[in-house]
Amino acid sequence: SAVISQKPSRDICQRGTSLTIQCQVDSQVTMMFWYRQQPGQSLTLIATANQGSEATYESGFVIDKFPISRPNLTFSTLTVSNMSPEDSSIYLCSATGQYDGYTFGSGTRLTVV
Amino acid sequence: GENVEQHPSTLSVQEGDSAVIKCTYSDSASNYFPWYKQELGKGPQLIIDIRSNVGEKKDQRIAVTLNKTAKHFSLHITETQPEDSAVYFCAASTGTNAGKSTFGDGTTLTVKP
């Protein structure tokens, strides 16, 4: 299965600023996703990162707040914009091939102060 | 959309005992059911999966069963060990791959030595 490198692993940011999280996969994958996970809770899908086109966002998530790029089959970024303390969470990148389950990155633990 | 319910939310067993975690899903079109293990500070890791054309699948001490009629599937861990302690998530999706998976709320398994 694929191996995902996600950076940064953690960050503490000031409110009103933006943070870009990077996700690099070691092989070409069919689909890439971005999830949010509050500590001790389940995973909530933010969006599907589409290669070469705009991401597909889930209800409650918008492009202006969470712009996503996927310039090729192995790389994606998620930006958390104009951050507030409510954005403090763990953000996870995941990827899947044609017949595999998900591979997840190790996550980015974001704290907004 | 799909809704996945997972029970129990916490489970404590003695080392060597078996552990069973159950999930139900709502969308009869779902045909792929993976299970993930998440250790503290890490991203979820796929441990076993099952597709709707199979009723049971085993991998050493781990097994998954699927009842399509009742729309539920279960994770069975035998001869539990302390290193099995983690949060376990079930998920359901449609399509030939993981696609856009819906996750259960997670089960925190504690194996007491």
Side-chain angles (χ1 to χ4, degrees), chain A residues 30-31 33 35 37 41-43 45 48 58 92 96-102 104-107 109, chain B residues 32 34 36 38 41-46 49 51 89 96-106:
Chain A
T30 305
M31 303 181 79
F33 306 92
Y35 281 85
Q37 184 180 33
Q41 297 190 21
S42 189
L43 292 85
L45 180 64
T48 302
E58 297 300 305
L92 290 155
T96 182
Q98 188 173 8
Y99 298 108
D100 300 328
Y102 283 1
F104 282 90
S106 54
R109 184 177 292 269
Chain B
Y32 177 68
Y36 297 88
Q38 186 175 28
K42 298 183 179 180
Q45 179 183 12
L46 178 69
D49 57 12
R51 301 183 189 277
F89 291 98
T96 55
N97 60 13
K100 192 171 76 171
S101 291
T102 300
F103 286 79
D105 287 340

Side-chain angles (χ1 to χ4, degrees), chain B:
Chain B
E2 175 66 279
N3 181 50
V4 177
E5 294 189 358
Q6 182 172 347
H7 300 281
S9 57
T10 61
L11 179 59
S12 181
V13 300
Q14 287 295 135
E15 183 177 0
D17 288 350
S18 295
V20 180
I21 303 170
K22 299 180 180 181
C23 288
T24 60
Y25 61 98
S26 61
D27 188 350
S28 57
S30 289
N31 57 7
Y32 177 68
F33 307 94
W35 286 89
Y36 297 88
K37 175 183 181 182
Q38 186 175 28
E39 297 175 326
L40 201 61
K42 298 183 179 180
Q45 179 183 12
L46 178 69
I47 57 172
I48 196 167
D49 57 12
I50 191 167
R51 301 183 189 277
S52 60
N53 59 346
V54 175
E56 181 176 359
K57 183 176 178 180
K58 277 182 131 177
D59 183 3
Q60 299 183 340
R61 296 186 296 108
I62 294 173
V64 56
T65 58
L66 171 65
N67 183 326
K68 284 192 298 182
T69 303
K71 292 207 259 290
H72 68 70
F73 55 111
S74 300
L75 177 70
H76 304 253
I77 305 174
T78 59
E79 300 173 21
T80 53
Q81 302 166 3
E83 51 265 39
D84 294 329
S85 296
V87 180
Y88 291 82
F89 291 98
C90 65
S93 68
T94 59
T96 55
N97 60 13
K100 192 171 76 171
S101 291
T102 300
F103 286 79
D105 287 340
T107 296
T108 300
L109 173 64
T110 302
V111 180
K112 300 176 185 176

